[in-house]
Amino acid sequence: SLGIEGSANKLGVGIVREDGSILSNVRHTYITPPGTGFLPKETAEHHRTHIVRLVREAMKEADIAPSDLDCVCYTKGPGMGGPLRVGAVVARMLAQMWGKPLVGVNHCIAHIEMGRVVTGADDPVALYVSGGNTQVIAFAQGRYQIFGETIDIAVGNCLDRFARVVNLSNDPSPGYNIEQSAKVDDPHFLELPYCVKGMDVSFAGILSNIEEVANAKLKAGECRIGDLCFSLQETVFGMLVETTERAMAHCGNNEVMAVGGVGCNKRLHQMLVQMAEQRGGKAYTTDDRYCIDNGAMIAYTGLVMFRHGHVTPLEDATCTQRFRTDDVLVNWRTDDAPAPNPAPKQSVWCPARPEAS
């Protein structure tokens, strides 16, 4: 299948086989100057400029023809409206040109399924951390249930906005440059608000606090940018690991997997590994090829969904900025769920989607 991902500033097109083999996974990122973020309109213009070229590159790298595809998949949501719409329009165009069925994919679930197939993890608790989402997720009762999440901004958004305050580069990403700056020699830890509220977390207050601290202490020469990056990472990652461990205890699960763009962070990896080992379990992590938004994760998840009866009729092939992880019936992971026969190769607009229980 071919998958198109464009929910934020990264535009990706991937082609995968049903066993998870990635035939191509090309990507182009919209990078803005230091101290700035990316807006929906400009990001959508970037996607419109590059998407046709990326589709051609992906097809060429995979060395396949349109007739070899079983379906065309795209990110239905959640994400930024303008960029999402570009992916949806191109997916509809390709599906009609090539006579292929469409599958709209939940972005969050695609991260989880990509992580599972790449790491070989069977049923881990997933810590999904990115610029737009922060959730602690576990599979139960036929859905990916959210056990904890942010109550305001996502952890990646917190890191990105702090990077603007200290004027760090957006190339390749603000979070990566914070991670590198935090490796300063003899780091000094600055105490920041630690906001865990039951199973949920809050980052807005931490961001406001560190903005004030940064402006005051940097001007006074009382700390370095690296000290601030180190302190912010230690604080927010500590909050995430705490809530993730609590979810693992609730589920009786000793395996954890980090997914999403922030899931690339090596310091977060270290903290998750240490926590899992103390519980006698295991932590699964991936690198930036799979953690960061990419087309292959949409292609793989969409193909799995297609084989279990999920097809998006053309008239419903829209996108939405709000699409909860637990809105999707995950019948491909439920042994006793009523699932239709696998879709025949190259069938169009059928079988019907399964009804939610």
Side-chain angles (χ1 to χ4, degrees):
S1 71
L2 179 144
I4 298 173
E5 157 58 29
S7 59
N9 68 323
K10 294 171 180 63
L11 175 66
V13 179
I15 298 174
V16 302
R17 298 189 189 279
E18 196 166 0
D19 61 1
S21 301
I22 299 175
L23 304 183
S24 62
N25 194 21
V26 298
R27 182 167 55 200
H28 195 276
T29 303
Y30 174 50
I31 297 175
T32 58
T36 65
F38 52 91
L39 300 175
K41 181 180 178 181
E42 287 76 13
T43 307
E45 289 175 354
H46 164 270
H47 290 6
R48 284 195 294 270
T49 301
H50 296 281
I51 191 164
V52 173
R53 174 180 61 83
L54 291 183
V55 170
R56 288 173 174 163
E57 286 183 10
M59 294 292 287
K60 182 177 180 180
E61 184 178 321
D63 192 24
I64 64 169
S67 59
D68 297 319
L69 295 171
D70 286 343
C71 56
V72 174
C73 314
Y74 74 99
T75 302
K76 187 176 180 68
M80 302 170 70
L84 279 172
R85 195 155 47 242
V86 174
V89 168
V90 172
R92 291 198 298 265
M93 177 196 71
L94 294 176
Q96 292 179 88
M97 283 175 53
W98 296 340
K100 302 297 177 181
L102 267 174
V103 182
V105 177
N106 180 287
H107 178 88
C108 312
I109 289 178
H111 273 295
I112 297 172
E113 294 299 340
M114 191 80 228
R116 289 180 63 228
V117 73
V118 168
T119 63
D122 179 36
D123 185 30
V125 170
L127 173 61
Y128 172 35
V129 279
S130 69
N133 301 275
T134 300
Q135 299 175 347
V136 180
I137 303 164
F139 179 74
Q141 298 180 336
R143 296 178 187 270
Y144 280 115
Q145 307 288 354
I146 301 171
F147 282 78
E149 59 188 320
T150 177
I151 60 174
D152 39 56
I153 62 174
V155 63
N157 186 249
C158 176
L159 295 173
D160 291 351
R161 289 165 65 178
F162 169 70
R164 296 177 212 167
V165 172
V166 294
N167 210 39
L168 290 179
S169 172
N170 290 325
D171 188 9
S173 70
Y176 175 82
N177 291 313
I178 288 176
E179 179 182 359
Q180 302 312 307
S181 298
K183 297 175 182 178
V184 63
D185 293 334
D186 190 24
H188 174 60
F189 180 77
L190 302 169
E191 188 171 346
L192 300 171
Y194 188 92
C195 303
V196 173
K197 302 177 183 296
M199 286 296 296
D200 297 327
V201 291
S202 171
F203 299 110
I206 299 172
L207 177 62
S208 298
N209 181 272
I210 199 170
E211 286 177 346
E212 294 178 2
V213 170
N215 290 329
K217 290 188 177 291
L218 287 176
K219 288 181 180 178
E222 297 177 1
C223 71
R224 301 164 293 178
I225 291 177
D227 296 327
L228 293 168
C229 294
F230 172 79
S231 303
L232 182 59
Q233 275 197 166
E234 294 298 304
T235 302
V236 298
F237 291 168
M239 293 161 51
L240 294 170
V241 172
E242 176 188 336
T243 52
T244 301
E245 183 175 17
R246 194 175 296 126
M248 293 168 68
H250 178 81
C251 297
N253 192 331
N254 284 332
E255 292 188 340
V256 61
M257 178 178 68
V259 296
V262 181
C264 299
N265 190 289
K266 295 295 191 296
R267 177 56 185 149
L268 179 58
H269 290 183
Q270 292 173 356
M271 296 173 75
L272 287 173
V273 168
Q274 184 179 14
M275 178 269 287
E277 289 179 345
Q278 289 174 354
R279 295 180 58 83
K282 185 175 181 179
Y284 295 91
T285 59
T286 62
D287 58 29
D288 59 355
R289 292 174 297 171
Y290 310 112
C291 266
I292 294 176
D293 293 351
N294 62 89
M297 71 182 196
I298 302 300
Y300 174 72
T301 305
L303 184 56
V304 171
M305 293 173 64
F306 176 64
R307 292 301 187 207
H308 289 79
H310 294 253
V311 176
T312 305
L314 186 61
E315 60 271 19
D316 294 336
T318 57
C319 55
T320 175
Q321 292 179 267
R322 293 174 176 82
F323 192 4
R324 294 279 293 180
T325 310
D326 50 11
D327 282 346
V328 180
L329 176 63
V330 187
N331 63 336
W332 59 92
R333 287 198 57 184
T334 306
D335 294 336
D336 56 353
N341 293 326
K345 186 177 178 67
Q346 300 179 21
S347 66
V348 181
W349 314 133
C350 63
R353 293 171 296 172
E355 295 294 331
S357 58

